[in-house]
Each structure stands twice: as C-alpha cells, then as structure tokens.
C-alpha cells in the first residue's frame, strides 16, 4: 500500500489555541506514520506550527508566495522567507487565488519558477469550473492549464512539482467528485505529462475538493491518486485517523 501525501490546507482559519489543540489531538493518532502529512497554515502561524511538529512525517507548506523575492511590496511574503521559517512546500495556483486574487497562468508560472529556484516543492492546483464540467471540458481545461504552466517543455519544469487536481465546483461545496472518474482523469494527465516531457516516472498527483472522513479512503484506494489536498475536514485532527 502506497504512503499517501496528505496536504492540510488551513486557508484563513485557526489561531494559536486552535493549533495547540489540533496538535494535541494529532499526537494521539497512531497512523500518522502511515502518511506524509503537510500542513499549510496561515503564514503567520508557520513558525508556531514548526515548533510543535513532533514527527518526521509531518512537514509544512506555505499557502502562497509573492512573485518577487524582496523589495517594496507591502504585505507580501517571498519564497526565501517561507523557506527560512522551514516550509518545504508551497501551494501554487489554488482556485481561490486564481478567482479572488486574479492570479493568471503567467503569475502562477513565475511562482512555480521561484519555488523551483529555492529548491522547495510546488503543489500546483489545476481543475475545471462548473460550466466547463457541465460542458464535458474537464480534460481540455486541465491539459490547457498544464501546457501554459509548463510551456517550455523542459524536464526541469516538472521537477519538484506535485499536481493537485481540484475541480472548482467540488471545493468547499460538499460535492466531491466520483473517485473512479478522478482515477481515470489522473491516469490520463499523468500519461500526457510523461509523454510530453519524455520522463520515465509518473508525476505525483493529488485530488482535492470536499474530501472528508467518509470519502477519503475511496480516493486513496485508486492506484493513481497519490494523496489528497484537504481544506475544511483537515482542520479536525480526527480526520487523519480515518485514513
Ligand atoms: P475543501 O477544500 O476540502 O474544503 O473542499 C479543498 C481545497 O480548497 O484545497
């Protein structure tokens, strides 16, 4: 059985007290060693989390970085700063950033590049919206996103990259996608990337969107789903005992 990669995306939630309680409960869960757990807290709590990490299977991610490394960019945070605090991963191109913060493929491409140069790992989110889904354009949308994010067609482009397939209509809605359909899609995308970049290994791919205690295992049982990107449900430490 593969060891799944589980990303816990806290979004704009939590405080020190909630985090301390979460860690206390997490310590009681035996099966943490059966997964690689990556916690992406609000950036201000990255260091607090780092001081509480108790197991080598747990690491940290930033939810975002700026496209600049330093300078007069009030309110922004660079990849070097998150690396300095101890993050190993950065979530890039989450649909909430694409939609609410108007991040386009050009910005996302720059961020992937910065993460690569800093030797961290990007978790790059792709996925179709509800209209595209209803029009049967899921594959087309995902492949277009991949083509514009990794347009230089170099193998280095996809090193240190994990792709999270997150259908936008499934995020935070309670409408999770069908695991068997996701398996089929992820297999298709992995094959596409393998041929495009002429690589021997499959890229790691995660599923995200309304994953919960009940449906998590249905996704993880699929051979090509290497892990999960979980928002809401992952704020409860009990979620991790269900995996
Ligand atoms: P959700 O969020 O699990 O709350 O649907 C997933 C995500 O936004 O990555």
């Amino acid at each position: 059985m593969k060891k799944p990669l589980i990303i816990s995306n806290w979004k704009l939630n939590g405080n020190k007290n909630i985090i301390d309680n979460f860690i206390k409960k997490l310590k009681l869960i035996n099966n943490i060693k059966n997964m690689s757990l990556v916690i992406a807290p609000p950036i201000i709590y990255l260091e607090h989390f780092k001081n509480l990490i108790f197991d080598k299977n747990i690491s940290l991610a930033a939810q975002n970085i700026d496209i600049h490394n330093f300078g007069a960019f009030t309110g922004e945070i660079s990849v070097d700063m998150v690396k300095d605090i101890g993050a190993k991963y950065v979530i890039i191109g989450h649909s909430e950033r694409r939609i609410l913060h108007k991040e386009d493929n050009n910005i996302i491409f720059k961020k992937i590049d910065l993460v690569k140069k800093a030797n961290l790992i990007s978790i790059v989110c792709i996925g179709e919206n509800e209209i595209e889904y209803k029009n049967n354009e899921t594959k087309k949308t995902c492949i277009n996103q991949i083509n514009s994010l990794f347009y230089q067609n170099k193998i280095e482009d996809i090193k240190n990259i994990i792709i999270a397939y997150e259908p936008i209509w499934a995020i935070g809605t309670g409408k999770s996608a069908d695991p068997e359909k996701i398996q089929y899609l992820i297999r298709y995308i992995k094959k596409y990337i393998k041929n495009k970049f002429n690589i021997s290994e499959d890229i790691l791919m995660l599923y995200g969107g309304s994953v919960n205690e009940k449906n998590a295992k249905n996704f993880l049982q699929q051979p090509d789903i290497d892990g999960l990107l979980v928002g809401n449900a992952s704020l409860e430490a009990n979620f991790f005992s269900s995996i």
Side-chain angles (χ1 to χ4, degrees), residues 6 29 56 95 103 107 124 135 142 222 239:
I6 311 292
I29 294 168
K56 62 175 182 1
S95 59
E103 287 191 8
I107 290 177
V124 181
N135 289 340
C142 292
Q222 305 298 329
F239 168 75

Side-chain angles (χ1 to χ4, degrees), residues 169-184:
W169 51 268
I171 296 177
T173 57
K175 292 191 261 174
S176 71
D178 175 344
E180 278 170 25
K181 284 191 185 153
I182 303 303
Q183 159 60 27
Y184 174 78

